[in-house]
Amino acid sequence: MVQNTLKDTFKNSNYKLAGHGERNIHVLKEAFKSIDGDLESDNYGEGAVIQEFEEKMAATLGKEEAVFFPSGTMAQQIALRIWCDEKGLRKVAYHPLSHIEIHEEDGLKELHKIETVLLAEKNRVIELEDVLRIEEPIASILLELPQREIGGQLPSFETLEQISKHCQEHGIKLHLDGARLLEVLPYYQKSAAEVCALFDSVYISFYKGVGGIAGAVLAGDKEFIKHSKVWKRRYGGDLISLYPYILSADYYYRQRADKMELYYEAAKELAGFYNACHGISTLPLEPVSNMFHVHFHQAKELVEPILTEVQQQTGIGLTSYLKEIDENSCSFEVSLGDLYETVPRELLEKVFKQLDALMKQRFSSI
Amino acid sequence: MVQNTLKDTFKNSNYKLAGHGERNIHVLKEAFKSIDGDLESDNYGEGAVIQEFEEKMAATLGKEEAVFFPSGTMAQQIALRIWCDEKGLRKVAYHPLSHIEIHEEDGLKELHKIETVLLAEKNRVIELEDVLRIEEPIASILLELPQREIGGQLPSFETLEQISKHCQEHGIKLHLDGARLLEVLPYYQKSAAEVCALFDSVYISFYKGVGGIAGAVLAGDKEFIKHSKVWKRRYGGDLISLYPYILSADYYYRQRADKMELYYEAAKELAGFYNACHGISTLPLEPVSNMFHVHFHQAKELVEPILTEVQQQTGIGLTSYLKEIDENSCSFEVSLGDLYETVPRELLEKVFKQLDALMKQRFSSI
């Protein structure tokens, strides 16, 4: 008999606790269903389709202008390069687990020769003290809200205000990696514009909490956006047509921007279910956005059969993968979306009862 | 009364002589109509959707591997950078009117510090002599087939073979800007693979003759493609989902790859109509692909009312714009596509009869 894998049992489950659903072609079809075919494509950054969405996002983020990018990687490298050029200094600071540092094949360094200062330890967010401790001159600081690689943690809003004030006083441009900006607004109880007001430039993504196909927006003042567009052309990001991403971003933004509070509440509840299980804890313990990480204090190869069994027997999908942290621990990421509220209450209780029982049975000595 | 513009009369014309039709949302809807919504998205360069198309294109171009890019700008800068790194020399050569030189805001220089040697005069294609005349060491030569900015001209196939042989003997990597590669195959009477065999790396586009939404493929040997994927990530071109471009590229490729001969024959015929008109000539005089430029030996402000009048009276669209060359000449570009064969024969003759008559009437002293 072929052994079912964690991935298979997740894929074949009747209900999934996280996300908005599968990333398949329906996502595009659904977004374009009600769009008039006669609508003209954008054309190398010009035209109503792109300009109207950029204006809408600039207003939402409280910035003078905004520009649509195919990716956040491109948008953020460009933002930091512009701030470096403005100061005539190729040095920036960010968290050791920022996207730029670990997921971009060193694009910032290879393409721009920008040096980096890593702020804070890997397992916590950047605090004011980390910023005050920087000894060398830097052009810009990038803050990621929430800090994804550590489960989506956040500094307090007061800390953000203090860092912002310090940067302003010291001629350091503050850039927001707001890939999941909308997702943190319910925790801060602030509008997007209120958070962005603390930053000189902001990037947001449309395929995380929003659940679009791909794409990003970079926002800032007029001069900054003028330079961004030149760099976008240099990078080959100024496509003849970006509308497949723009129109789907707009569609899902309209569907989901107001549901972030719902996802946040769901995340807190779901984290509670995990934390009630033997040998499992979430990071953060109480989520501050729609996301968190689920940690097991056991080896991956011991945990994987348990999760597989639970998924197979209950038809409830918890995760498609497990990431080994070290030989005695593993984890997976959860981002709450539209699917959570579709799961029947009694099944939700059943799956965690079973998970807890299996964890206790296998690891009763802990 | 509001004066009709060239652009308006073109837009409102019943038939258009060039192109495949409007670049609107129908282009996407048409391509996705028959695609199963359950098909999974590509995922950061992985998955059947992207891999199958890359394999198909590698086979078509006769290269070991291929990688799909959001844009040719990104693909080509990366190709040249890889060849420069391989040789440890940041210098390449290309035509003074190549896309890299005039349409990319100096991305190659700004992002890679690559120096350039410009080959040939602006008004002609690169010949073997231009290559032999290069005195300094260079890592790579980029050839654009056809040379778009001069109406889509081509060197002979023998010249290509000689340049290729020279480059191979001198350790210079030859890169093909094949944005319109498919479009020149009928003239050369060669397969794509036969042309590409002369080059170390090749880029082709999916929104010119193919008429897709956007996107490009870069092809070469395994090692080259391995490096390309790293650079694609660095540029922010490794999107979570590129399927809107890939699936539409594949759809329109299947529709049109075999129609390039038809477009080429149509281009020759249409150029003949223009050349028979008073004060008008095409560049090249006889097209060698589906494209050519139409030149008027009069000032733009004198020609524009004539074209506007012809479009308004006949309902046939010739062009939406005129580009001023100098105070005594102007031009526009024509790329033949699906629309040409939809134009009734008698209207075609009528429009050029009228154009010729108006040109004679206004410029009879020439």
Side-chain angles (χ1 to χ4, degrees), chain A residues 11 23-26 29 32 35 37-41 71 77 103 105 207 233-234 236 241 245, chain B residues 11 23-26 29 32 35 37-41 44 71 77 103 105 207 233-234 236 241 245:
Chain A
K11 202 177 153 62
R23 288 188 57 83
N24 58 23
I25 312 303
H26 285 303
K29 292 201 173 211
F32 280 83
I35 292 172
D38 288 336
L39 182 66
E40 269 184 60
S41 171
S71 76
Q77 288 179 16
H103 290 307
E105 293 278 2
Y207 65 91
R233 170 63 62 102
R234 286 178 178 149
S241 296
Y245 299 136
Chain B
K11 201 176 157 61
R23 289 188 57 82
N24 58 25
I25 311 304
H26 285 302
K29 292 200 172 210
F32 280 83
I35 293 172
D38 289 336
L39 182 65
E40 268 185 60
S41 171
Y44 297 111
S71 76
Q77 289 179 17
H103 290 307
E105 293 278 2
Y207 65 90
R233 171 63 63 102
R234 285 177 179 152
S241 297
Y245 299 135

Side-chain angles (χ1 to χ4, degrees), chain A residues 37-52:
Chain A
D38 288 336
L39 182 66
E40 269 184 60
S41 171
D42 53 311
N43 186 42
Y44 297 112
E46 305 287 329
V49 160
I50 189 163
Q51 285 167 346
E52 284 172 11

Side-chain angles (χ1 to χ4, degrees), chain B residues 79-140:
Chain B
L80 295 181
R81 172 60 188 264
I82 292 168
W83 296 138
C84 283
D85 281 356
E86 195 190 74
K87 195 161 183 167
L89 173 67
R90 299 261 176 111
K91 195 172 277 187
V92 300
Y94 50 57
H95 193 273
L97 295 181
S98 76
H99 195 275
I100 290 192
E101 187 66 14
I102 65 173
H103 290 307
E104 303 179 9
E105 293 278 2
D106 276 341
L108 189 76
K109 294 161 196 175
E110 294 287 341
L111 289 168
H112 301 286
K113 306 291 167 224
I114 291 177
E115 289 179 63
T116 55
V117 176
L118 300 180
L119 298 177
E121 281 82 47
K122 284 185 181 181
N123 61 356
R124 63 170 180 85
V125 298
I126 295 167
E127 299 291 348
L128 176 64
E129 292 65 38
D130 301 303
V131 173
L132 297 179
R133 215 175 285 134
I134 304 171
E135 289 176 354
E136 51 216 315
I138 54 170
S140 179

Side-chain angles (χ1 to χ4, degrees), chain B residues 201-265:
Chain B
S201 54
V202 181
Y203 137 70
I204 65 166
S205 170
F206 297 102
Y207 65 90
K208 278 87 181 186
V210 171
I213 301 174
V217 148
L218 184 64
D221 67 27
K222 278 189 179 149
E223 190 67 12
F224 173 83
I225 294 302
K226 198 183 90 185
H227 291 303
S228 300
K229 288 181 179 177
V230 172
W231 281 106
K232 181 183 167 191
R233 171 63 63 102
R234 285 177 179 152
Y235 265 69
D238 192 19
L239 305 195
I240 184 167
S241 297
L242 280 166
Y243 72 76
Y245 299 135
I246 297 165
L247 293 172
S248 50
D250 191 35
Y251 177 83
Y252 290 108
Y253 181 87
R254 284 183 277 113
Q255 304 278 313
R256 295 179 180 140
D258 294 336
K259 294 177 79 178
M260 296 297 159
E261 179 90 39
L262 193 73
Y263 303 153
Y264 169 49
E265 293 302 330

